[in-house]
Amino acid sequence: MKNFLKILLLIILFGAIYYFRDPLSTQVLPILENLKNNISNVFGKYIPCKEPIPYTFGTFDAKFNISKKYFLDALSLAETIWEKPVGLELFTYTPTDSSSNVLKINLIYDYRQEATSKLASLGIIVKDTRASYDMLRNKFTALKALYEKDEIDFNVRMESFNQNKLAYENKVKFWNTKGGASQKEYNQLEATHLFLENEIRELQNIQKNLNNTADEINALVVVLNRLVTSLNLSVGKYNTVNVARGESFEEGVYVSDGVNREIDIYEFSSREKLVRVLAHELGHALGLPHVSDSQAIMYELNQGNNQILTKADLDELKVRCGLK
């Protein structure tokens, strides 16, 4: 009898689980998932470095012209910069995990990378140094002076073209009302027409060159304004030509609202710079602050060339992870 009751109870229990399987999946499981994420976040906050931070791709903009493998390889190197010196797995790549506690890493193409790419195409590599700023400022000054002169010449020539075009059109209308022009007048009108066609082609080429120069100037402005801020220079804001732009310039940023965490990468001029900016933002994901060593990964400017931790970086990491 007792065995029968046990079997009956088991049947009832499994039947209840089966019957309520949908409510469990829609109500209980999300609660358990949130609880797991909250525990993970609290665990990482108060006992850092004990569990690796899971990360995955978020936005991946193809306009950077790099593959996901290229980006992932750079991420792997950036990850190793932190892990190797302390022998800990601090990060882990989880490509299929979309839960809220996973660190999402985004590659976002906007005016920042556009400016860097434009300057790179002209053979200009930007560094976060005063020497680089001075070089770019001198180039900007010379280029803007040339642009302003060429723009004045273009406007004068364009005004002359418009006047000649209007005079030509009035003559054509006049002779049309007369039933036609003489051969001599017709030949003069045809010569004027050919001149105007040639002139507009030249003006279009001049305008194209002006636009290219404006693009170069505006790329310089974006980078110069970024350097003014990052180098803490007492210099007024540089202004673009033909467009209004007042955005700030950051190569990357780590953001967290206490639950969701993301790294946004906006700009890099080389693979080495990409690795360093990724390593820097991963450092922030670990909870590390900026340090004063200008060669450090966690220095506020990405101006070093090394891809290893400096003593300042390592000291902060050890404090954060409770290591000696």
Side-chain angles (χ1 to χ4, degrees):
M1 184 67 178
K2 288 182 179 180
N3 289 335
F4 173 77
L5 289 174
K6 287 180 180 179
I7 293 171
L8 181 61
L9 286 172
L10 285 173
I11 292 173
I12 293 172
L13 177 61
F14 284 117
I17 292 173
Y18 179 81
Y19 182 79
F20 291 107
R21 66 189 185 282
D22 287 336
L24 277 171
S25 63
T26 58
Q27 298 178 24
V28 177
L29 292 182
I31 293 173
L32 292 176
E33 178 66 20
N34 287 334
L35 181 61
K36 184 190 79 171
N37 291 340
N38 290 335
I39 290 172
S40 176
N41 287 332
V42 171
F43 190 80
K45 182 176 180 181
Y46 295 104
I47 315 177
C49 310
K50 301 302 180 185
E51 288 288 329
I53 296 174
Y55 68 87
T56 189
F57 285 136
T59 300
F60 187 86
D61 200 317
K63 288 195 287 292
F64 279 89
N65 291 322
I66 63 172
S67 66
K68 283 190 175 182
K69 183 181 183 305
Y70 180 98
F71 191 61
L72 189 58
D73 287 346
L75 255 172
S76 180
L77 284 174
E79 181 183 336
T80 303
I81 287 173
W82 292 109
E83 294 176 337
K84 188 175 180 180
V86 292
L88 295 175
E89 185 184 12
L90 301 174
F91 305 93
T92 182
Y93 178 49
T94 55
T96 59
D97 194 341
S98 60
S99 53
S100 62
N101 69 317
V102 173
L103 173 64
K104 290 183 176 61
I105 301 180
N106 305 306
L107 190 59
I108 301 172
Y109 190 99
D110 63 6
Y111 71 97
R112 285 163 273 212
Q113 183 63 30
E114 185 179 7
T116 298
S117 298
K118 176 67 177 178
L119 295 184
S121 71
L122 299 170
I124 301 172
I125 303 301
V126 179
K127 297 180 180 179
D128 288 326
T129 63
R130 181 58 191 256
S132 183
Y133 167 81
D134 289 339
M135 180 270 291
L136 293 174
R137 179 197 58 194
N138 292 338
K139 186 169 183 61
F140 166 81
T141 302
L143 204 58
K144 189 174 182 184
L146 177 64
Y147 174 85
E148 289 173 346
K149 176 184 177 300
D150 289 346
E151 186 181 35
I152 290 172
D153 293 342
F154 171 79
N155 289 335
V156 169
R157 192 166 171 178
M158 192 69 196
E159 179 64 24
S160 176
F161 169 82
N162 287 331
Q163 290 176 359
N164 290 332
K165 180 171 177 287
L166 181 61
Y168 166 78
E169 290 172 345
N170 287 336
K171 281 187 178 182
V172 170
K173 288 179 182 178
F174 172 78
W175 287 113
N176 283 339
T177 60
K178 296 293 185 180
S182 66
Q183 187 63 44
K184 180 181 177 181
E185 290 292 342
Y186 175 81
N187 291 340
Q188 288 178 346
L189 287 171
E190 186 64 18
T192 302
H193 179 255
L194 292 174
F195 167 79
L196 290 172
E197 282 190 338
N198 183 65
E199 184 70 358
I200 194 61
R201 281 194 294 269
E202 290 190 16
L203 285 168
Q204 286 171 344
N205 287 332
I206 293 171
Q207 188 169 46
K208 182 179 179 181
N209 290 333
L210 275 172
N211 289 339
N212 289 337
T213 303
D215 288 344
E216 187 175 347
I217 290 171
N218 293 337
L220 286 167
V221 166
V222 170
V223 177
L224 281 168
N225 284 333
R226 190 259 293 182
L227 289 175
V228 166
T229 301
S230 62
L231 296 175
N232 197 27
L233 302 177
S234 299
V235 178
K237 180 182 174 183
Y238 290 86
N239 295 317
T240 55
V241 292
N242 285 344
V243 295
R245 174 171 284 151
E247 302 96 331
S248 61
F249 192 113
E250 291 176 309
E251 293 171 304
V253 62
Y254 168 74
V255 291
S256 173
D257 60 7
V259 178
N260 299 297
R261 297 176 291 177
E262 294 190 6
I263 288 175
D264 296 334
I265 302 298
Y266 297 109
E267 183 269 339
F268 53 90
S269 57
S270 65
R271 187 169 186 268
E272 290 72 23
K273 287 292 186 183
L274 174 59
V275 171
R276 280 182 60 89
V277 72
L278 283 168
H280 181 93
E281 301 309 332
L282 287 176
H284 283 315
L286 286 169
L288 303 182
H290 287 148
V291 299
S292 59
D293 181 358
S294 62
Q295 294 301 307
I297 296 295
M298 292 312 297
Y299 186 60
E300 61 182 345
L301 305 179
N302 188 9
Q303 66 181 38
N305 296 315
N306 56 303
Q307 292 191 4
I308 58 174
L309 300 185
T310 65
K311 184 179 183 300
D313 291 318
L314 192 55
D315 287 347
E316 288 293 340
L317 181 61
K318 287 181 177 179
V319 169
R320 178 63 177 160
C321 295
L323 303 173
K324 294 183 179 180

